Amino acid sequence: MDVAVACFSVGNFNSAMSVLAGLSQSSITRLHKLREKVDKNKADHLATLEKQMSPSENFKTYRAALKNALKQHTCVIPFFTLLVKDIHTTCEIKKTKVEGTELINFEKCWELSGHLVEFQKYQSGVCDLQSDGNIQEDILVAKILTEDGMMFSSYEIEEPVTVNDKKRYKAFLEKAPTQRMESFY
């Protein structure tokens, strides 16, 4: 949670959204007892961040935060997936030729150029953030879990409650330990 808030604070919206996506995985959301232990202040920060990055109204709140960040930071990293979606949407919705003619639809060209200029603006930013060797090392050596691996780990942290979770956990335990671990990475 702290990482997502910190990323958002420095204008790294892509990483903030990635952390939020990770926190919304079923293997995390099922950990009710753990969530109850989270500091209320941190939970409030996370809820605020989720509202800022909400997809409602075509990411209206995020887009406003992005514009604001461009005024405050020399380096802004947008939510890249949304930038690509905007370009794709323009390409799909706008016709290349003016309907009924062979004339080029310059409105589409203008809109696409706006997206590309925006992208160039992000590329030209100077990031003066200091890297943290400890964090980099942790990321480089961390094992990447599969969906099954994450779910099994969540069962180890907090017992399964629902019937489906209990069945899934039992199926994990019935696998041979080496087979079970191989399917997790």
Side-chain angles (χ1 to χ4, degrees), residues 27-73:
S27 55
I28 302 298
T29 58
R30 64 168 296 280
L31 299 173
H32 300 291
K33 291 177 187 174
L34 185 64
R35 283 186 175 256
E36 289 172 3
K37 294 178 183 178
V38 172
D39 178 66
K40 184 181 176 349
N41 200 23
K42 288 184 181 193
D44 290 346
H45 282 303
L46 181 63
T48 300
L49 180 58
E50 287 172 335
K51 288 178 186 171
Q52 289 285 323
M53 300 299 284
S54 169
S56 65
E57 297 183 59
N58 195 18
F59 289 89
K60 181 181 177 181
T61 310
Y62 157 73
R63 291 178 194 274
L66 179 63
K67 282 184 182 178
N68 189 44
L70 287 167
K71 296 173 190 171
Q72 296 177 356
H73 303 287

Side-chain angles (χ1 to χ4, degrees), residues 1 7 10 25 41 46 48 56 60 66 80 84 89 93 131 133 137 149 154 157 184:
M1 286 188 267
C7 288
V10 297
Q25 294 287 319
N41 200 23
L46 181 63
T48 300
S56 65
K60 181 181 177 181
L66 179 63
F80 189 72
V84 172
T89 300
I93 290 177
S131 63
E137 182 64 24
S154 80
I157 294 168
F184 291 169

